[in-house]
Amino acid sequence: GKNDEGKRLDRFVLKVASNLPQTLMFRYLRTKRIKLNGKRAEASTRLHEGDVVEMYINDEFFTQNEYAYDFLKASKELDILYEDENIIIINKPPGVLCHPDGENYTDNIIARVQRYLFEKGEYDPDKENSFTPALANRIDRNTGGLVMASKNAAALRILNEKIKSREVTKKYYCIAQGIFKEKEGVLESYLTVDRKQNKASVKKSESESAKAIKTGYKVLSEKNSLSLLEITLFTGRTHQIRAQLAAVGHPLLGDTKYGGKAAESGKAYKKQYLYAYKLEFSFKSDAGDLNYLKDKTFEAREPEFVKDFYKNKLNI
């Protein structure tokens, strides 16, 4: 099918026959029990729409159809900012996961997207060999804002490429503690992540485990020893904004993990005051099926904490 275009033969086989051991798959490829268009093929062969993959293997190796799809247990609530035949841009509320974790598997943004498309008749798992609607970017559970979902494999591939080449610009609002000496600048450092503690550390020098991070900031306003910032994300690492601002002495309001003051009870934001409010599609090269998005900008509604800031309702 179209959504299998460009996928490696071995990855396609392991997706369709998920119970097939990898070592056995390679043996079956060598002995032509798995064939491509009636012939022996290398594991790395890229598939094209219309190719026929034949697998002469035991039924037990094939994925069993699940008619009680997990995504149907997800909430129907989905705040869609934009949608076309290839992508959906969703305004994610704080407190909702983008993807399942070890504790919450059924209700998250991607499951809601899959349910939405399934009920619209645009996604049928039984007719897909290896593709499921997927997110091209993610934000933390307690950060609100814009995330992009792809409806097909081509759109996902293009979005991933454009994000990697920094041709999609992501901007955030946040409330940082303290007053910045420099009202605009770019922070560059290195970041490591402790997965067990789910916490990032910022270092000034490069190391084998540290990844380079780059964050632009602009002070929009100052009140009550707080600064309202617009953040431009040049790299997208785990907790990048939160950890990097804390490292320069300006943790986010509400971000107790990185030294910020706890959010006040009764406020709309219970965790960090951070919101991914804008996406800019600044394509510099061909974007194939998504060329029509070039130079388009999508902006979410102003989050409540920005309104509260200007109304002088926030303080430390």
Side-chain angles (χ1 to χ4, degrees):
K2 185 176 180 180
N3 283 326
D4 305 312
E5 178 89 33
K7 187 175 287 293
R8 283 172 54 118
L9 175 59
D10 54 352
R11 292 176 184 170
F12 174 85
V13 169
L14 291 175
K15 185 76 174 181
V16 175
S18 61
N19 299 322
L20 178 65
Q22 191 174 53
T23 53
L24 200 53
M25 177 201 66
F26 286 122
R27 185 195 303 170
Y28 287 169
L29 282 169
R30 288 195 304 271
T31 58
K32 294 196 290 186
R33 287 181 66 174
I34 299 176
K35 297 190 285 187
L36 177 61
N37 298 323
K39 299 178 182 179
R40 184 183 181 279
E42 297 296 324
S44 60
T45 303
R46 297 285 177 176
L47 298 178
H48 299 89
E49 185 176 2
D51 280 348
V52 176
V53 179
E54 297 170 88
M55 290 180 260
Y56 298 91
I57 65 178
N58 294 349
D59 290 346
E60 66 198 61
F61 294 134
F62 287 101
T63 305
Q64 299 299 310
N65 286 330
E66 299 252 353
Y67 294 103
Y69 301 118
D70 282 338
F71 59 72
L72 291 177
K73 300 173 186 176
S75 168
K76 289 187 176 184
E77 187 176 340
L78 202 61
D79 185 2
I80 296 174
L81 183 71
Y82 172 82
E83 180 179 4
D84 61 33
E85 68 274 16
N86 294 308
I87 71 166
I88 308 175
I89 298 177
I90 301 113
N91 191 13
K92 183 189 88 68
V96 179
L97 287 163
C98 279
H99 295 101
D101 64 4
E103 298 177 357
N104 187 335
Y105 186 78
T106 55
D107 190 26
N108 47 76
I109 292 299
I110 190 54
R112 293 184 187 188
V113 167
Q114 290 169 1
R115 176 174 185 169
Y116 168 74
L117 293 175
F118 178 80
E119 292 178 344
K120 277 185 72 180
E122 292 189 28
Y123 168 53
D124 184 349
D126 290 339
K127 294 181 180 178
E128 292 292 345
N129 293 307
S130 58
F131 176 79
T132 56
L135 300 183
N137 68 310
R138 60 172 294 278
I139 51 182
D140 295 338
R141 179 203 289 259
N142 293 312
T143 299
L146 303 183
V147 292
M148 298 174 285
S150 60
K151 293 185 178 183
N152 54 67
L156 180 62
R157 184 183 67 254
I158 293 165
L159 285 176
N160 286 338
E161 289 172 354
K162 294 305 180 185
I163 290 170
K164 186 176 181 180
S165 62
R166 300 179 187 176
E167 295 176 62
V168 178
T169 303
K170 292 168 277 187
K171 295 195 174 184
Y172 291 69
Y173 283 131
C174 69
I175 306 289
Q177 295 178 195
I179 303 301
F180 286 71
K181 184 177 179 181
E182 301 292 334
K183 305 307 178 185
E184 187 171 355
V186 176
L187 305 175
E188 295 188 71
S189 47
Y190 298 88
L191 181 141
T192 60
V193 179
D194 184 328
R195 296 296 177 186
K196 290 184 179 179
Q197 295 187 19
N198 190 32
K199 188 173 181 179
S201 299
V202 173
K203 304 177 184 299
K204 292 182 179 179
S205 57
E206 187 176 4
S207 68
E208 186 176 342
S209 60
K211 295 182 178 180
I213 55 174
K214 184 177 180 181
T215 307
Y217 74 90
K218 181 179 181 180
V219 177
L220 302 178
S221 185
E222 300 167 340
K223 292 178 185 290
N224 303 325
S225 296
L226 293 171
S227 298
L228 172 63
L229 308 180
E230 181 187 64
I231 298 291
T232 301
L233 211 54
F234 296 108
T235 56
R237 309 295 185 192
T238 300
H239 298 181
Q240 175 177 321
I241 298 170
R242 299 164 61 187
Q244 200 163 31
L245 287 176
V248 295
H250 296 286
L252 300 185
L253 181 63
D255 193 3
T256 55
K257 175 170 280 192
Y258 291 99
K261 181 188 174 185
E264 296 179 49
S265 60
K267 297 295 183 184
Y269 271 70
K270 309 301 181 186
K271 298 290 184 179
Q272 64 268 12
Y273 283 58
L274 178 65
Y275 205 92
Y277 86 99
K278 184 185 285 189
L279 289 168
E280 298 174 346
F281 292 84
S282 49
F283 298 158
K284 300 177 181 63
S285 57
D286 182 57
D289 293 347
L290 301 187
N291 269 325
Y292 61 90
L293 291 172
K294 183 178 180 180
D295 298 327
K296 288 190 180 295
T297 297
F298 299 93
E299 189 169 335
R301 296 180 298 276
E302 194 172 70
E304 287 300 317
F305 70 71
V306 173
K307 298 175 185 177
D308 286 346
F309 179 89
Y310 282 118
K311 292 177 182 177
N312 211 28
K313 292 183 177 181
L314 301 178
N315 56 71
I316 53 173

